[in-house]
PDB file of all heavy atoms in Angstrom:
ATOM      1  N   LYS A  24     126.076 345.098   7.084  1.00 98.00           N
ATOM      2  CA  LYS A  24     125.925 344.515   8.341  1.00 98.00           C
ATOM      3  C   LYS A  24     124.804 345.130   9.175  1.00 98.00           C
ATOM      4  O   LYS A  24     124.678 346.444   9.065  1.00 98.00           O
ATOM      5  CB  LYS A  24     127.238 344.645   9.238  1.00 98.00           C
ATOM      6  CG  LYS A  24     128.399 343.858   8.521  1.00 98.00           C
ATOM      7  CD  LYS A  24     129.633 344.020   9.362  1.00 98.00           C
ATOM      8  CE  LYS A  24     130.822 343.263   8.712  1.00 98.00           C
ATOM      9  NZ  LYS A  24     132.091 343.536   9.324  1.00 98.00           N
ATOM     10  N   GLU A  25     123.954 344.321   9.839  1.00 98.00           N
ATOM     11  CA  GLU A  25     122.882 344.843  10.589  1.00 98.00           C
ATOM     12  C   GLU A  25     123.370 345.260  12.028  1.00 98.00           C
ATOM     13  O   GLU A  25     124.199 344.477  12.661  1.00 98.00           O
ATOM     14  CB  GLU A  25     121.727 343.833  10.746  1.00 98.00           C
ATOM     15  CG  GLU A  25     120.960 343.778   9.464  1.00 98.00           C
ATOM     16  CD  GLU A  25     119.651 342.945   9.627  1.00 98.00           C
ATOM     17  OE1 GLU A  25     119.428 342.531  10.818  1.00 98.00           O
ATOM     18  OE2 GLU A  25     118.929 342.709   8.583  1.00 98.00           O
ATOM     19  N   TYR A  26     122.838 346.365  12.529  1.00 98.00           N
ATOM     20  CA  TYR A  26     123.130 346.763  13.918  1.00 98.00           C
ATOM     21  C   TYR A  26     121.782 347.071  14.599  1.00 98.00           C
ATOM     22  O   TYR A  26     120.876 347.580  13.979  1.00 98.00           O
ATOM     23  CB  TYR A  26     123.899 348.030  13.901  1.00 98.00           C
ATOM     24  CG  TYR A  26     125.389 347.820  13.480  1.00 98.00           C
ATOM     25  CD1 TYR A  26     125.735 347.649  12.119  1.00 98.00           C
ATOM     26  CD2 TYR A  26     126.356 347.792  14.324  1.00 98.00           C
ATOM     27  CE1 TYR A  26     127.022 347.468  11.756  1.00 98.00           C
ATOM     28  CE2 TYR A  26     127.764 347.511  14.041  1.00 98.00           C
ATOM     29  CZ  TYR A  26     128.037 347.369  12.679  1.00 98.00           C
ATOM     30  OH  TYR A  26     129.298 347.050  12.295  1.00 98.00           O
ATOM     31  N   HIS A  27     121.812 346.592  15.866  1.00 98.00           N
ATOM     32  CA  HIS A  27     120.517 346.604  16.649  1.00 98.00           C
ATOM     33  C   HIS A  27     120.797 347.591  17.821  1.00 98.00           C
ATOM     34  O   HIS A  27     121.900 348.054  18.126  1.00 98.00           O
ATOM     35  CB  HIS A  27     120.199 345.201  17.167  1.00 98.00           C
ATOM     36  CG  HIS A  27     119.968 344.218  16.084  1.00 98.00           C
ATOM     37  ND1 HIS A  27     118.767 343.848  15.729  1.00 98.00           N
ATOM     38  CD2 HIS A  27     120.845 343.642  15.243  1.00 98.00           C
ATOM     39  CE1 HIS A  27     118.853 342.926  14.736  1.00 98.00           C
ATOM     40  NE2 HIS A  27     120.098 342.866  14.422  1.00 98.00           N
ATOM     41  N   PRO A  28     119.649 347.988  18.541  1.00 97.00           N
ATOM     42  CA  PRO A  28     119.812 348.788  19.706  1.00 97.00           C
ATOM     43  C   PRO A  28     120.990 348.341  20.667  1.00 97.00           C
ATOM     44  O   PRO A  28     121.072 347.166  20.946  1.00 97.00           O
ATOM     45  CB  PRO A  28     118.424 348.790  20.401  1.00 97.00           C
ATOM     46  CG  PRO A  28     117.519 348.590  19.239  1.00 97.00           C
ATOM     47  CD  PRO A  28     118.267 347.647  18.347  1.00 97.00           C
ATOM     48  N   THR A  29     121.767 349.364  21.101  1.00 94.00           N
ATOM     49  CA  THR A  29     122.883 349.195  21.920  1.00 94.00           C
ATOM     50  C   THR A  29     124.180 348.755  21.182  1.00 94.00           C
ATOM     51  O   THR A  29     125.321 348.730  21.718  1.00 94.00           O
ATOM     52  CB  THR A  29     122.780 348.386  23.192  1.00 94.00           C
ATOM     53  OG1 THR A  29     122.696 346.981  22.814  1.00 94.00           O
ATOM     54  CG2 THR A  29     121.556 348.735  24.000  1.00 94.00           C
ATOM     55  N   ASP A  30     124.051 348.319  19.910  1.00 96.00           N
ATOM     56  CA  ASP A  30     125.234 348.044  19.095  1.00 96.00           C
ATOM     57  C   ASP A  30     125.953 349.315  18.780  1.00 96.00           C
ATOM     58  O   ASP A  30     125.365 350.395  18.547  1.00 96.00           O
ATOM     59  CB  ASP A  30     124.877 347.343  17.728  1.00 96.00           C
ATOM     60  CG  ASP A  30     124.426 345.985  17.941  1.00 96.00           C
ATOM     61  OD1 ASP A  30     124.525 345.351  18.967  1.00 96.00           O
ATOM     62  OD2 ASP A  30     123.811 345.322  16.962  1.00 96.00           O
ATOM     63  N   GLN A  31     127.278 349.187  18.800  1.00 95.00           N
ATOM     64  CA  GLN A  31     128.159 350.382  18.645  1.00 95.00           C
ATOM     65  C   GLN A  31     129.223 350.116  17.563  1.00 95.00           C
ATOM     66  O   GLN A  31     129.683 348.952  17.382  1.00 95.00           O
ATOM     67  CB  GLN A  31     128.864 350.687  19.890  1.00 95.00           C
ATOM     68  CG  GLN A  31     129.625 351.990  20.009  1.00 95.00           C
ATOM     69  CD  GLN A  31     130.253 352.412  21.281  1.00 95.00           C
ATOM     70  OE1 GLN A  31     131.447 352.103  21.478  1.00 95.00           O
ATOM     71  NE2 GLN A  31     129.459 352.607  22.308  1.00 95.00           N
ATOM     72  N   ILE A  32     129.503 351.118  16.811  1.00 96.00           N
ATOM     73  CA  ILE A  32     130.585 350.993  15.746  1.00 96.00           C
ATOM     74  C   ILE A  32     131.440 352.271  15.857  1.00 96.00           C
ATOM     75  O   ILE A  32     130.949 353.368  16.055  1.00 96.00           O
ATOM     76  CB  ILE A  32     129.978 350.811  14.357  1.00 96.00           C
ATOM     77  CG1 ILE A  32     131.110 350.528  13.298  1.00 96.00           C
ATOM     78  CG2 ILE A  32     129.159 351.987  13.967  1.00 96.00           C
ATOM     79  CD1 ILE A  32     130.647 350.196  11.910  1.00 96.00           C
ATOM     80  N   LYS A  33     132.774 352.056  15.805  1.00 94.00           N
ATOM     81  CA  LYS A  33     133.748 353.050  15.747  1.00 94.00           C
ATOM     82  C   LYS A  33     134.299 353.222  14.317  1.00 94.00           C
ATOM     83  O   LYS A  33     134.793 352.269  13.776  1.00 94.00           O
ATOM     84  CB  LYS A  33     134.884 352.926  16.773  1.00 94.00           C
ATOM     85  CG  LYS A  33     134.304 352.869  18.139  1.00 94.00           C
ATOM     86  CD  LYS A  33     135.402 352.609  19.177  1.00 94.00           C
ATOM     87  CE  LYS A  33     134.851 352.719  20.627  1.00 94.00           C
ATOM     88  NZ  LYS A  33     135.776 352.491  21.727  1.00 94.00           N
ATOM     89  N   LEU A  34     134.129 354.381  13.676  1.00 97.00           N
ATOM     90  CA  LEU A  34     134.580 354.675  12.361  1.00 97.00           C
ATOM     91  C   LEU A  34     135.867 355.466  12.461  1.00 97.00           C
ATOM     92  O   LEU A  34     135.902 356.582  13.116  1.00 97.00           O
ATOM     93  CB  LEU A  34     133.539 355.409  11.577  1.00 97.00           C
ATOM     94  CG  LEU A  34     132.188 354.670  11.438  1.00 97.00           C
ATOM     95  CD1 LEU A  34     131.064 355.600  11.111  1.00 97.00           C
ATOM     96  CD2 LEU A  34     132.289 353.470  10.576  1.00 97.00           C
ATOM     97  N   GLN A  35     136.940 355.084  11.850  1.00 96.00           N
ATOM     98  CA  GLN A  35     138.199 355.790  11.870  1.00 96.00           C
ATOM     99  C   GLN A  35     138.218 356.932  10.861  1.00 96.00           C
ATOM    100  O   GLN A  35     137.489 356.928   9.896  1.00 96.00           O
ATOM    101  CB  GLN A  35     139.312 354.768  11.524  1.00 96.00           C
ATOM    102  CG  GLN A  35     139.412 353.603  12.448  1.00 96.00           C
ATOM    103  CD  GLN A  35     139.535 354.087  13.914  1.00 96.00           C
ATOM    104  OE1 GLN A  35     140.337 354.834  14.300  1.00 96.00           O
ATOM    105  NE2 GLN A  35     138.716 353.402  14.849  1.00 96.00           N
ATOM    106  N   GLN A  36     139.091 357.857  11.082  1.00 95.00           N
ATOM    107  CA  GLN A  36     139.291 358.973  10.160  1.00 95.00           C
ATOM    108  C   GLN A  36     139.594 358.374   8.852  1.00 95.00           C
ATOM    109  O   GLN A  36     140.494 357.515   8.721  1.00 95.00           O
ATOM    110  CB  GLN A  36     140.368 359.908  10.668  1.00 95.00           C
ATOM    111  CG  GLN A  36     140.735 361.015   9.625  1.00 95.00           C
ATOM    112  CD  GLN A  36     142.040 361.719  10.159  1.00 95.00           C
ATOM    113  OE1 GLN A  36     142.425 361.578  11.266  1.00 95.00           O
ATOM    114  NE2 GLN A  36     142.599 362.528   9.206  1.00 95.00           N
ATOM    115  N   GLY A  37     138.919 358.718   7.674  1.00 97.00           N
ATOM    116  CA  GLY A  37     139.180 358.255   6.397  1.00 97.00           C
ATOM    117  C   GLY A  37     138.438 357.032   6.061  1.00 97.00           C
ATOM    118  O   GLY A  37     138.493 356.601   4.902  1.00 97.00           O
ATOM    119  N   GLU A  38     137.828 356.254   7.017  1.00 98.00           N
ATOM    120  CA  GLU A  38     137.179 355.101   6.756  1.00 98.00           C
ATOM    121  C   GLU A  38     135.894 355.426   5.997  1.00 98.00           C
ATOM    122  O   GLU A  38     135.113 356.262   6.432  1.00 98.00           O
ATOM    123  CB  GLU A  38     136.911 354.302   8.107  1.00 98.00           C
ATOM    124  CG  GLU A  38     136.235 352.994   7.805  1.00 98.00           C
ATOM    125  CD  GLU A  38     136.035 352.202   9.109  1.00 98.00           C
ATOM    126  OE1 GLU A  38     136.301 352.712  10.321  1.00 98.00           O
ATOM    127  OE2 GLU A  38     135.568 351.090   9.057  1.00 98.00           O
ATOM    128  N   ARG A  39     135.554 354.715   4.888  1.00 98.00           N
ATOM    129  CA  ARG A  39     134.368 354.971   4.142  1.00 98.00           C
ATOM    130  C   ARG A  39     133.284 354.291   4.921  1.00 98.00           C
ATOM    131  O   ARG A  39     133.448 353.238   5.505  1.00 98.00           O
ATOM    132  CB  ARG A  39     134.442 354.380   2.769  1.00 98.00           C
ATOM    133  CG  ARG A  39     135.160 355.172   1.735  1.00 98.00           C
ATOM    134  CD  ARG A  39     136.624 355.399   2.085  1.00 98.00           C
ATOM    135  NE  ARG A  39     137.270 355.918   0.853  1.00 98.00           N
ATOM    136  CZ  ARG A  39     138.448 356.539   1.016  1.00 98.00           C
ATOM    137  NH1 ARG A  39     139.047 356.694   2.245  1.00 98.00           N
ATOM    138  NH2 ARG A  39     139.162 357.035  -0.027  1.00 98.00           N
ATOM    139  N   HIS A  40     132.066 354.915   4.849  1.00 98.00           N
ATOM    140  CA  HIS A  40     130.974 354.408   5.642  1.00 98.00           C
ATOM    141  C   HIS A  40     129.635 354.860   5.044  1.00 98.00           C
ATOM    142  O   HIS A  40     129.606 355.986   4.409  1.00 98.00           O
ATOM    143  CB  HIS A  40     131.076 354.790   7.088  1.00 98.00           C
ATOM    144  CG  HIS A  40     131.170 356.237   7.420  1.00 98.00           C
ATOM    145  ND1 HIS A  40     132.300 356.964   7.368  1.00 98.00           N
ATOM    146  CD2 HIS A  40     130.172 357.145   7.679  1.00 98.00           C
ATOM    147  CE1 HIS A  40     132.128 358.197   7.686  1.00 98.00           C
ATOM    148  NE2 HIS A  40     130.889 358.461   7.780  1.00 98.00           N
ATOM    149  N   ARG A  41     128.594 354.138   5.335  1.00 98.00           N
ATOM    150  CA  ARG A  41     127.284 354.496   4.828  1.00 98.00           C
ATOM    151  C   ARG A  41     126.254 353.910   5.865  1.00 98.00           C
ATOM    152  O   ARG A  41     126.254 352.719   6.211  1.00 98.00           O
ATOM    153  CB  ARG A  41     126.980 353.917   3.534  1.00 98.00           C
ATOM    154  CG  ARG A  41     125.464 354.005   3.081  1.00 98.00           C
ATOM    155  CD  ARG A  41     125.355 353.517   1.632  1.00 98.00           C
ATOM    156  NE  ARG A  41     125.340 354.665   0.771  1.00 98.00           N
ATOM    157  CZ  ARG A  41     125.574 354.630  -0.517  1.00 98.00           C
ATOM    158  NH1 ARG A  41     125.863 353.617  -1.107  1.00 98.00           N
ATOM    159  NH2 ARG A  41     125.454 355.740  -1.178  1.00 98.00           N
ATOM    160  N   LEU A  42     125.382 354.782   6.363  1.00 98.00           N
ATOM    161  CA  LEU A  42     124.252 354.385   7.202  1.00 98.00           C
ATOM    162  C   LEU A  42     122.954 354.162   6.353  1.00 98.00           C
ATOM    163  O   LEU A  42     122.730 354.957   5.480  1.00 98.00           O
ATOM    164  CB  LEU A  42     124.036 355.421   8.254  1.00 98.00           C
ATOM    165  CG  LEU A  42     122.856 355.239   9.232  1.00 98.00           C
ATOM    166  CD1 LEU A  42     123.045 353.998  10.129  1.00 98.00           C
ATOM    167  CD2 LEU A  42     122.701 356.497  10.165  1.00 98.00           C
ATOM    168  N   ILE A  43     122.280 352.998   6.584  1.00 98.00           N
ATOM    169  CA  ILE A  43     121.141 352.606   5.689  1.00 98.00           C
ATOM    170  C   ILE A  43     119.991 352.318   6.644  1.00 98.00           C
ATOM    171  O   ILE A  43     120.021 351.516   7.580  1.00 98.00           O
ATOM    172  CB  ILE A  43     121.530 351.437   4.860  1.00 98.00           C
ATOM    173  CG1 ILE A  43     122.715 351.723   4.033  1.00 98.00           C
ATOM    174  CG2 ILE A  43     120.413 350.996   4.031  1.00 98.00           C
ATOM    175  CD1 ILE A  43     123.480 350.542   3.445  1.00 98.00           C
ATOM    176  N   GLY A  44     118.852 352.877   6.271  1.00 98.00           N
ATOM    177  CA  GLY A  44     117.606 352.555   6.910  1.00 98.00           C
ATOM    178  C   GLY A  44     117.115 351.213   6.344  1.00 98.00           C
ATOM    179  O   GLY A  44     117.149 350.953   5.198  1.00 98.00           O
ATOM    180  N   LEU A  45     116.554 350.446   7.238  1.00 98.00           N
ATOM    181  CA  LEU A  45     116.115 349.090   6.704  1.00 98.00           C
ATOM    182  C   LEU A  45     114.614 349.109   6.719  1.00 98.00           C
ATOM    183  O   LEU A  45     113.968 349.972   6.105  1.00 98.00           O
ATOM    184  CB  LEU A  45     116.662 347.934   7.605  1.00 98.00           C
ATOM    185  CG  LEU A  45     118.273 347.896   7.483  1.00 98.00           C
ATOM    186  CD1 LEU A  45     118.775 346.824   8.430  1.00 98.00           C
ATOM    187  CD2 LEU A  45     118.664 347.642   6.047  1.00 98.00           C
ATOM    188  N   ASP A  46     113.946 348.226   7.515  1.00 95.00           N
ATOM    189  CA  ASP A  46     112.456 348.193   7.462  1.00 95.00           C
ATOM    190  C   ASP A  46     111.777 349.271   8.100  1.00 95.00           C
ATOM    191  O   ASP A  46     110.688 349.726   7.704  1.00 95.00           O
ATOM    192  CB  ASP A  46     111.959 346.841   8.081  1.00 95.00           C
ATOM    193  CG  ASP A  46     112.465 345.644   7.295  1.00 95.00           C
ATOM    194  OD1 ASP A  46     112.739 345.830   6.014  1.00 95.00           O
ATOM    195  OD2 ASP A  46     112.668 344.596   7.925  1.00 95.00           O
ATOM    196  N   GLY A  47     112.271 349.819   9.219  1.00 96.00           N
ATOM    197  CA  GLY A  47     111.651 350.910   9.929  1.00 96.00           C
ATOM    198  C   GLY A  47     112.659 352.095  10.134  1.00 96.00           C
ATOM    199  O   GLY A  47     113.727 351.999   9.717  1.00 96.00           O
TER     200      GLY A  47
END
């Protein structure tokens, strides 16, 4: 899922996650 400036995500304890750089 794409996230843009001011977008927020809450990750729960134990929730798997990965941050990915896109074009810039």
